Amino acid sequence: MEDEKHGEEQLCTLEKRGNLFFLTLTGAGEHRLNPNLISSLRSALSRLQSDPSATSSSSALITTAQGKFFSNGFDLDWAQSSEPRLQLMSSSLRSLVHDLICLPMPTIAAVTGHASAAGMMLALSHDYVVMRRDRGFLYMSEVDIGLVIPNWFMALMRSKIGEPRARREAVMRAAKLTAEDGVRIGVVDSAHDGAEATVTAAAELGEALVARKWDGHVYAGNRRVVLREVLEAVGYDETVTKVADKAGSKL
Amino acid sequence: MEDKKHGEEQLCTLEKRGNLFFLTLTGAGEHRLNPNLISSLRSALSRLQSDPSASSASALITTAHGKFFSNGFDLDWAQSSEPRLQLMSSSLRSLVHDLICLPMPTIAAVTGHASAAGMMLALSHDYVVMRRDRGFLYMSEVDIGLVIPNWFMALMRSKIGDPRARREAVMRAAKLTAEDGVRIGVVDSAHDGAEATVAAAAELGEALVARKWDGHVYAGNRRVVLREVLEAVRYDETVTKVADKAGSKL
């Protein structure tokens, strides 16, 4: 089930192994979240949901990445501070996060490299996060690079990190969190040695969740209640909307 | 002060021992939260509030006979009938509202399984003490094909601070022992056996009574602390059709 448009670079793959779907951000790059990559990811999720085996029996999604990065955040080079591009990038990511929150199966992010800013948000949009301990950081870089996070980032953070001081360290001190830090603050479920072990752990967790035989739509329905504030918050991004153009970046 | 309607099964009792009121869900059954049981519980709370001695510092301890604290809504009774589901929902939400507004500290002595709406009943108390040797707190909904209403989540958030613990409870339907409950902060203490659990509740009750709080001041502060819950219990979107939004409001 590879996602490959004729003549275009393959940005992600979707593979099925038994009851598990593996969504992989491919290539050795930074997997910057630009509209192309996000669109590929959304297409993959869409194909996943039309897969007959995904709906008829219990499944789980594992999202991972090749190379040094899980995702290094928004593609600011592509956006070049152009407001329409920033708005498009924002609404694309918010739609992807909405898709993940509504996905009718458990989701696991197997973080095998750095996840920064919007890239960290992508990881946090999954039900479970497993991460390699020997390399890679979760890093809210915004305060270091001169950006203000949007409210929806914070809604997602609050939905996953309960302690205000941990949120302060992450956002207002731009802490570079290792997997062990992540386990300590509760945002990472387990830490593993190396990328392979991380993906294996994700698969084991996925199988354990699949074995519960939940109805995927019931599961997603409950997730939507649990993450209700996040679903509301992803409906807008005030950092990319001019006062005179509030319609511009709504989902 | 027994709650006994002539000719009807006694569903709960209300007894006073010193400064403590004991509300007991009676009988060996599952104490399913149907309109009858809820109505009995609300009547008992109403009688409690009219009791003249409740004007000096008191505390409420809610407990149950048998293997179950409460196994949740009476889905057999409801039989997927929308009016019945709406009635059951609004009855429970009214009971939870009553507990949150009760002018005295409240303690749930969980001596058996508390599942789904039954777990919500326990969490509607200020303190929860629980037996460690038997019984689970269990949000069963994802296992039995139901979606929880928003107000359940508001109550969960008001009592369980760690998002991961809430995920384990709701999205993984974890069966939480008393020790698990203590670890995640939803249970205050764990005890060996039902009797020890109720005794612990009574000790805690006495300690709270000894503070000599004005009950109405206490309840007023509780309402501020649990404001989001009070707002959320006003509606249940899972039992309301779009065309009938008035049907299940409190």
Side-chain angles (χ1 to χ4, degrees):
Chain A
M1 287 176 80
E2 290 195 358
D3 173 21
E4 195 158 357
K5 292 196 171 84
H6 177 73
E8 279 182 28
E9 181 192 344
Q10 177 185 270
L11 299 172
C12 70
T13 58
L14 182 67
E15 297 170 67
K16 191 166 200 292
R17 299 177 213 163
N19 296 307
L20 305 179
F21 288 90
F22 287 82
L23 175 63
T24 304
L25 283 65
T26 49
E30 295 187 9
H31 311 129
R32 288 275 181 168
L33 293 162
N34 54 41
N36 275 352
L37 173 55
I38 295 170
S39 172
S40 292
L41 293 169
R42 293 192 71 204
S43 292
L45 292 182
S46 180
R47 284 202 311 285
L48 183 161
Q49 293 193 66
S50 352
D51 183 303
S53 62
T55 43
S56 59
S57 59
S58 301
S59 311
L61 168 73
I62 293 164
T63 301
T64 191
Q66 294 171 345
K68 277 189 174 177
F69 293 89
F70 182 77
S71 168
N72 211 21
F74 278 132
D75 194 340
L76 301 173
D77 285 349
W78 173 81
Q80 297 185 331
S81 301
S82 140
E83 194 165 282
R85 288 192 174 196
L86 289 167
Q87 287 175 347
L88 178 59
M89 218 158 52
S90 166
S91 66
S92 302
L93 180 61
R94 289 181 286 115
S95 296
L96 173 61
V97 168
H98 188 275
D99 292 347
L100 284 166
I101 293 175
C102 296
L103 207 74
M105 65 183 67
T107 58
I108 304 164
V111 180
T112 47
H114 299 296
S116 312
M120 181 171 164
M121 294 304 102
L122 178 61
L124 262 52
S125 299
H126 292 71
D127 299 325
Y128 300 86
V129 175
V130 298
M131 185 170 173
R132 72 184 290 181
R133 66 159 59 89
D134 53 319
R135 269 196 219 168
F137 298 116
L138 299 174
Y139 172 43
M140 292 299 286
S141 55
E142 286 85 351
V143 78
D144 281 346
I145 61 176
L147 293 174
V148 175
I149 61 170
N151 181 62
W152 78 266
F153 276 26
M154 208 56 212
L156 186 50
M157 293 280 281
R158 273 193 303 268
S159 78
K160 303 288 177 168
I161 304 173
E163 205 200 304
R165 192 159 57 169
R167 296 195 295 262
R168 180 198 68 193
E169 290 303 289
V171 177
M172 301 197 63
R173 207 157 178 180
K176 286 177 174 157
L177 305 166
T178 62
E180 305 280 18
D181 294 327
V183 169
R184 183 174 42 80
I185 70 176
V187 71
V188 172
D189 290 288
S190 59
H192 306 275
D193 294 309
E196 221 177 284
T198 304
V199 176
T200 301
E204 280 179 31
L205 175 56
E207 291 292 356
L209 297 168
V210 159
R212 296 292 292 272
K213 296 196 181 308
W214 294 315
D215 176 304
H217 294 287
V218 168
Y219 184 86
N222 280 288
R223 189 203 281 118
R224 293 184 69 145
V225 179
V226 174
L227 299 182
R228 193 178 75 117
E229 288 77 14
V230 183
L231 279 176
E232 273 180 45
V234 295
Y236 68 95
D237 179 344
E238 72 288 353
T239 66
V240 298
T241 309
K242 282 195 314 244
V243 170
D245 187 26
K246 282 209 177 293
S249 63
K250 286 206 171 70
L251 273 186
Chain B
M1 284 179 83
E2 291 197 355
D3 175 19
K4 201 163 184 173
K5 292 199 173 78
H6 178 73
E8 277 184 27
E9 181 190 345
Q10 175 185 270
L11 299 172
C12 69
T13 58
L14 182 67
E15 298 170 65
K16 191 165 200 293
R17 300 177 212 163
N19 297 307
L20 306 178
F21 289 91
F22 287 81
L23 176 62
T24 305
L25 283 65
T26 50
E30 294 187 8
H31 312 129
R32 288 275 181 170
L33 293 161
N34 54 41
N36 275 351
L37 173 55
I38 295 170
S39 173
S40 293
L41 293 169
R42 294 192 71 203
S43 293
L45 292 183
S46 181
R47 286 201 312 283
L48 182 160
Q49 291 192 68
S50 355
D51 184 302
S53 62
S55 57
S56 59
S58 313
L60 170 73
I61 293 164
T62 302
T63 190
H65 290 162
K67 277 188 172 177
F68 293 89
F69 181 78
S70 167
N71 210 20
F73 277 131
D74 194 340
L75 300 173
D76 284 350
W77 174 82
Q79 299 187 332
S80 301
S81 141
E82 194 164 284
R84 288 190 173 196
L85 289 167
Q86 287 175 347
L87 178 59
M88 219 159 51
S89 165
S90 66
S91 302
L92 180 61
R93 288 181 287 116
S94 297
L95 173 61
V96 169
H97 188 274
D98 292 347
L99 283 166
I100 292 176
C101 296
L102 206 73
M104 64 184 67
T106 58
I107 303 163
V110 180
T111 46
H113 299 296
S115 311
M119 181 171 164
M120 295 304 101
L121 177 62
L123 262 53
S124 299
H125 293 70
D126 299 325
Y127 300 87
V128 175
V129 299
M130 186 171 171
R131 73 185 289 183
R132 66 159 60 90
D133 53 319
R134 267 196 219 168
F136 297 116
L137 300 174
Y138 171 44
M139 292 301 283
S140 55
E141 287 85 348
V142 79
D143 279 346
I144 62 176
L146 294 174
V147 174
I148 61 169
N150 180 60
W151 78 266
F152 276 27
M153 207 57 213
L155 186 51
M156 293 279 282
R157 275 193 302 269
S158 77
K159 304 288 176 169
I160 304 174
D162 180 17
R164 193 160 55 171
R166 295 195 298 261
R167 180 198 68 191
E168 289 301 292
V170 178
M171 303 197 59
R172 207 158 176 179
K175 285 176 176 159
L176 305 166
T177 61
E179 305 280 19
D180 293 327
V182 169
R183 182 172 42 80
I184 70 177
V186 71
V187 173
D188 292 288
S189 59
H191 307 274
D192 294 309
E195 224 177 281
T197 303
V198 176
E203 276 180 41
L204 175 56
E206 293 292 357
L208 296 168
V209 159
R211 297 294 292 273
K212 298 195 179 308
W213 293 314
D214 176 305
H216 293 286
V217 168
Y218 185 86
N221 281 287
R222 188 204 281 120
R223 293 184 68 146
V224 180
V225 173
L226 298 182
R227 191 181 74 116
E228 287 78 11
V229 183
L230 279 177
E231 273 182 42
V233 295
R234 290 168 56 211
Y235 67 93
D236 180 344
E237 71 289 352
T238 67
V239 296
T240 309
K241 282 194 312 240
V242 170
D244 187 24
K245 285 212 175 293
S248 65
K249 286 207 172 65
L250 275 186

